[in-house]
Amino acid sequence: MQTAVRIRHDDLRRRNRAAVIAAVRRAVHPSRTEIAAATGLSHSTISAISSDLLQEGILAEPKATEPSALKRGRPQVAIGLNAEAATVVTVDLSLNSLSAALFDYGGTVLAAEKRRLPTLEMAAADLVHETIGMVRGLFEMQPSRQAAAKRIVVSIQGVTDASARSMLWSPITVHADIPFAEALEEAFGVATTVENDCNMMAFALRSRDPEIYHDDFIAILLSHGIGMGMMLKGELFTGTHSSGGEFGHMIHRPDGALCRCGRRGCIEAYAGNYAIWRKAHHQPEDEMPKADVTDADITELAEQARRADGSEREAFRRAGEALGFGLGSLFAIIDPAPVAFIGVGATAFDLMEPSLREAIAKTAGGQHSGSITFLTEPYEAPIIREGSAKRALQFVDEGIFAPGALPAGKAVA
């Protein structure tokens, strides 16, 4: 019985510490009174927890010279995250591109690197080697921060396993089942997870604007590939075996256009950058997609589509139709939710929206199509990196610093 009580007390302590850390992260430099208001915890509990976190070096009081050190009109000193408490690393592997960044505990970028890689031509071992090399390079730029590293998050364009350890499949490489987490942990001794890049976009959006992106919303990548991250009931949607949400590979037309995944009729085979380029250039639908359609290619096609009614405009119309039928089918299951389109394709959303809305209205999920909101973000890379960093910091907050170490004989806060 005593063991059960202790477990409950430890769990309560962990949840209370996590709530305080989360409140400080959201508000940047709140007072203890503001933390109490945000968490619903008593002032005595906030005082005890904040004192512990300050002593442990997780939180810090701003210096007297800093503007946030004293709230105007308030006698209470603010507290904030101690930037030195931890370091996290993000890695983003996408088609022909590898980037990584090093963050302090406050979420500030300390170092970053990006390079172009021929991902479709590289061996699996070389992809892992390049990833390890880039992370090592970041630590060499900031040698004092490697000892504080607590988490690495790798975002992958493609499907990752549900345990966030490996890349199961990706259109950026011919290889499958690449164990990135194991390799990075062996190289650096830092806990690592492998995440779907669109899930990281959804994670970033909720942090950016929780009033719009709250419990239920969808983030769709409109780029060379079509991906989806879903937040349902405040939690990222993942499958039992994989990262889930492979919206781009839902079937739009059975036995239709050839997708780069090798199947036919996928939404991506009509709405991906390569599909739009293929249609606009009168290429056969069963022709293997162009390997690397650039953002500039899509921008130029969109400009041509706005100037005149031709194959370019039809390509974007058809892309909108495929997206609309896919979303309509999805909304028949989960009900309509706000949708954010992210990537270079979002800059041409004006060309796709009419056919997209028309297609949704034809589906069971389109009964309330007029109330569906669409937002656009043109650049996916910074959103993916932001989401990966926030994901990594959440792991540190909730998995390392919230449990903490309870000294012998100390009362539970």
Side-chain angles (χ1 to χ4, degrees):
M1 185 65 179
Q2 284 184 331
T3 300
V5 171
R6 177 57 182 268
I7 291 173
R8 287 197 296 270
H9 283 180
D10 286 352
D11 185 59
L12 176 62
R13 174 178 178 272
R14 179 190 59 78
R15 286 189 282 112
N16 287 348
R17 282 168 60 98
V20 171
I21 295 171
V24 175
R25 188 172 293 284
R26 285 193 301 269
V28 183
H29 284 102
S31 68
R32 289 164 177 78
T33 298
E34 289 167 332
I35 296 173
T39 62
L41 298 173
S42 69
H43 285 272
S44 61
T45 297
I46 295 298
S47 179
I49 291 175
S50 61
S51 177
D52 286 346
L53 294 173
L54 286 165
Q55 186 176 2
E56 294 165 24
I58 297 168
L59 301 183
E61 292 181 345
K63 297 177 182 178
T65 55
E66 294 180 13
S68 57
L70 187 63
K71 300 276 184 171
R72 179 172 295 179
R74 297 176 183 267
Q76 292 197 348
V77 176
I79 54 178
L81 300 170
N82 179 6
E84 304 293 324
T87 302
V88 299
V89 179
T90 66
V91 178
D92 179 25
L93 183 60
S94 57
L95 180 66
N96 294 331
S97 178
L98 174 67
S99 62
L102 187 71
F103 293 80
D104 66 23
Y105 188 53
T108 299
V109 178
L110 301 173
E113 187 177 353
K114 181 177 181 179
R115 73 173 66 115
R116 186 173 175 80
L117 294 178
T119 58
L120 290 169
E121 303 168 11
M122 295 176 66
D126 291 336
L127 285 172
V128 173
H129 176 75
E130 289 289 339
T131 301
I132 291 173
M134 183 170 283
V135 173
R136 181 171 287 115
L138 294 180
F139 286 138
E140 290 173 353
M141 293 181 204
Q142 296 280 334
S144 64
R145 302 310 299 251
Q146 183 168 357
K150 303 295 185 186
R151 177 70 64 161
I152 299 173
V153 168
V154 181
S155 64
I156 297 283
Q157 184 180 356
V159 183
T160 65
D161 62 318
S163 60
R165 303 293 298 167
S166 301
M167 184 207 76
L168 298 181
W169 172 87
S170 175
I172 71 172
T173 175
V174 298
H175 309 288
D177 299 318
I178 303 178
F180 281 100
E182 180 181 337
L184 286 162
E185 287 177 353
E186 182 177 346
F188 301 106
V190 180
T192 302
T193 55
V194 183
E195 307 274 357
N196 173 266
D197 57 352
C198 292
N199 284 349
M200 295 302 93
M201 293 194 310
F203 208 80
L205 290 176
R206 187 174 65 170
S207 298
R208 280 188 175 191
D209 195 341
E211 290 189 7
I212 296 176
Y213 305 110
H214 188 48
D215 287 342
D216 301 286
F217 66 88
I218 296 166
I220 294 181
L221 177 65
L222 299 184
S223 186
H224 197 67
I226 303 296
M228 172 182 284
M230 285 195 296
M231 197 72 70
L232 300 178
K233 304 301 181 184
E235 298 290 337
L236 279 173
F237 170 78
T238 58
T240 56
H241 299 290
S242 70
S243 51
E246 280 302 303
F247 175 76
H249 299 288
M250 291 171 55
I251 297 300
H252 172 52
R253 291 182 180 173
D255 301 317
L258 180 63
C259 180
R260 61 177 177 163
C261 74
R263 291 181 286 269
R264 291 183 175 274
C266 299
I267 291 173
E268 184 180 295
Y270 296 87
N273 286 358
Y274 66 83
I276 294 171
W277 188 93
R278 182 170 59 187
K279 179 66 176 177
H281 286 83
H282 307 284
Q283 299 293 325
E285 288 189 343
D286 59 355
E287 183 172 298
M288 184 57 65
K290 190 172 184 288
D292 191 2
V293 177
T294 67
D295 289 0
D297 291 333
I298 294 301
T299 299
E300 182 180 352
L301 289 177
E303 290 173 353
Q304 292 174 354
R306 293 185 184 102
R307 285 195 296 266
D309 187 5
S311 61
E312 296 85 4
R313 187 176 295 179
E314 173 60 17
F316 285 105
R317 186 206 67 77
R318 195 174 72 152
E321 179 184 65
L323 292 168
F325 278 119
L327 282 172
S329 297
L330 180 65
F331 289 153
I333 299 172
I334 67 170
D335 287 341
V339 180
F341 290 107
I342 303 169
V344 67
T347 63
F349 186 65
D350 59 308
L351 297 167
M352 295 184 277
E353 184 175 9
S355 59
L356 185 151
R357 287 192 178 275
E358 182 180 348
I360 289 178
K362 294 177 180 178
T363 68
Q367 296 181 37
H368 306 288
S369 58
S371 64
I372 299 172
T373 59
F374 298 113
L375 299 97
T376 59
E377 293 277 354
Y379 306 111
E380 70 267 26
I383 295 179
I384 293 170
R385 186 172 77 171
E386 178 184 341
S388 297
K390 291 185 181 299
R391 184 70 158 169
L393 290 167
Q394 182 192 53
F395 283 127
V396 177
D397 290 348
E398 298 179 358
I400 300 175
F401 290 160
L406 188 64
K410 185 173 178 62
V412 177

